[in-house]
């Protein structure tokens, strides 16, 4: 079974009665695209590496340190003797980049370059993987038209990033006169903005999740606790503006819209006819009001909202 870089480095340093020092020195990007940077110090040498997880970044830092010590003449066991570049960090689906410039996605740069100069879009394929489960190495192929590059790394995404880096650098070097107006920082900013737009859209389409930490005693305060204060104020204003002669259903639609809620109507079979249910969503806990008619159900919902706003004013 192949030992991990951290284990190999630890065993090597024991011979000198020393221990390598690790430190997580940076975390960049939004939470869903976080990239971690780990620093490793040993025998007077310092290296750093970045990855999508702390564990991966620490292993990569240890691997770079072993290569550095091997170059300095220490007896480092194979396969950690050959120097190699750290795997570039990846973000999300590989198209985004963490804000701040610390983490660079070559997949994002390559995609922007291809789009700006009407090149075929980059394509990536997994060529294979080798090694035991704790030290897996993945090989990925990246292609832009007839140009292809193959790279290996400890994760699939990192391997794709390396292949993208090689393709990107090749195109920039060989098409330098044609791509001289391509600004990397602007391209990364565009990629980041698009990634954030997709993230916001995904969050907007995500189903509402109940607040499991909410106490039963606070259920009647659900609207006050979980709606933004600005929306609560708008809802209170809509309630005050509602005419006493207005149809309850019309007034409810106006107040729910001000609160950022929607009124969902349902019919429930019952003895002697049917019941009408109106649900205000999304809310935590769910707010459902029932009556024989839509008008009566809407009136019940409005009565609850008025009591809620009255309680707010008394706090």
């Amino acid at each position: 079974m192949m030992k991990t870089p951290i284990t190999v480095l630890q065993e090597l340093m024991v011979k000198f009665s020393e221990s390598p020092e690790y430190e997580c020195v940076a975390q960049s990007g939004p939470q869903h695209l976080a990239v971690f940077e780990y620093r490793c110090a040993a025998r007077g040498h310092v290296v750093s590496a970045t990855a999508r997880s702390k564990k991966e970044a620490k292993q990569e830092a240890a691997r770079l340190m072993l290569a550095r010590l091997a170059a300095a003449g220490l007896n480092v066991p194979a396969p950690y003797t050959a120097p190699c570049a750290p795997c570039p960090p990846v973000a999300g689906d590989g198209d985004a980049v963490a804000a701040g410039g610390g983490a660079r996605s070559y997949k994002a740069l390559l995609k922007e370059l291809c789009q700006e100069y009407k090149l075929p879009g980059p394509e990536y394929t997994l060529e294979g993987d080798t090694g035991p489960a704790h030290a897996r190495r993945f090989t990925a192929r990246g292609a832009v038209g007839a140009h292809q590059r193959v790279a290996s790394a400890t994760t699939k995404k990192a391997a794709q990033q390396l292949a993208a880096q090689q393709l990107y650098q090749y195109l920039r070097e060989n098409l330098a006169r044609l791509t001289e107006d391509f600004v990397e920082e602007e391209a990364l900013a565009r990629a980041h903005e698009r990634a954030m737009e997709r993230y916001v859209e995904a969050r907007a389409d995500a189903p509402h999740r109940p607040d499991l930490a909410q106490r039963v005693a606070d259920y009647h305060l659900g609207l006050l606790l979980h709606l933004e204060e600005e929306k609560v104020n708008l809802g209170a204003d809509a309630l005050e503006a509602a005419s006493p002669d207005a149809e309850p259903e019309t007034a409810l639609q106006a107040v729910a819209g001000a609160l950022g809620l929607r009124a969902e109507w349902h019919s429930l079979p019952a003895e002697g006819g049917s019941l009408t249910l109106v649900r205000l969503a999304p809310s935590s806990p769910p707010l459902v009001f029932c009556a024989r008619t839509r008008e009566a159900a809407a009136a019940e919902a409005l009565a609850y909202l008025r009591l809620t706003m009255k309680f707010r004013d008394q706090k």
Side-chain angles (χ1 to χ4, degrees), residues 175-304:
L175 301 175
R177 296 179 62 183
L178 299 176
T179 62
E180 59 184 359
D181 58 344
F182 183 77
V183 182
E184 291 188 356
E185 296 307 320
E186 293 180 359
L188 290 172
R190 290 195 299 270
H192 176 68
E193 289 177 2
R194 279 195 287 269
M196 290 304 298
E197 289 174 359
R198 291 195 297 271
Y199 174 68
V200 172
E201 291 175 358
R203 287 293 298 268
D205 295 337
H208 176 70
R209 303 297 185 189
D211 183 1
L212 299 181
Q214 186 176 359
R215 298 185 304 172
V216 174
D218 293 334
Y219 268 23
H220 64 293
L221 306 178
L223 285 178
L224 300 181
L225 293 174
H226 300 290
L227 288 182
E228 298 176 2
E229 184 176 357
E230 181 180 356
K231 290 184 177 180
V232 173
N233 292 333
L234 290 174
D237 293 341
L239 275 172
E240 291 182 3
S243 170
D245 299 330
E247 295 183 358
E249 185 175 346
T250 302
L252 178 62
Q253 292 286 2
V255 175
L259 291 170
L261 304 175
R262 62 182 182 275
E264 300 176 348
W265 297 91
H266 305 277
S267 180
L268 182 67
E271 184 178 353
S274 62
L275 295 177
T276 298
L277 282 70
V278 59
R279 179 176 185 268
L280 301 182
S283 60
S284 182
L287 299 176
V288 181
F289 306 91
C290 178
R292 285 290 181 182
T293 64
R294 288 173 68 100
E295 181 179 355
E300 291 288 340
L302 285 171
Y304 167 81

Side-chain angles (χ1 to χ4, degrees), residues 88-139:
V90 293
D93 59 0
D95 295 337
V97 61
R104 172 155 301 192
S105 169
Y106 282 97
K107 288 186 69 176
L109 282 172
L110 182 60
K111 184 176 181 180
E112 291 293 325
L113 184 73
C114 292
Q115 289 180 347
E116 189 160 331
Y117 297 98
K118 313 302 181 186
L119 294 171
E123 298 180 356
Y124 303 94
T125 56
L126 180 64
E127 297 292 302
D129 58 278
T130 58
H134 69 282
R136 213 73 171 163
R137 297 289 294 184
F138 298 89
T139 301

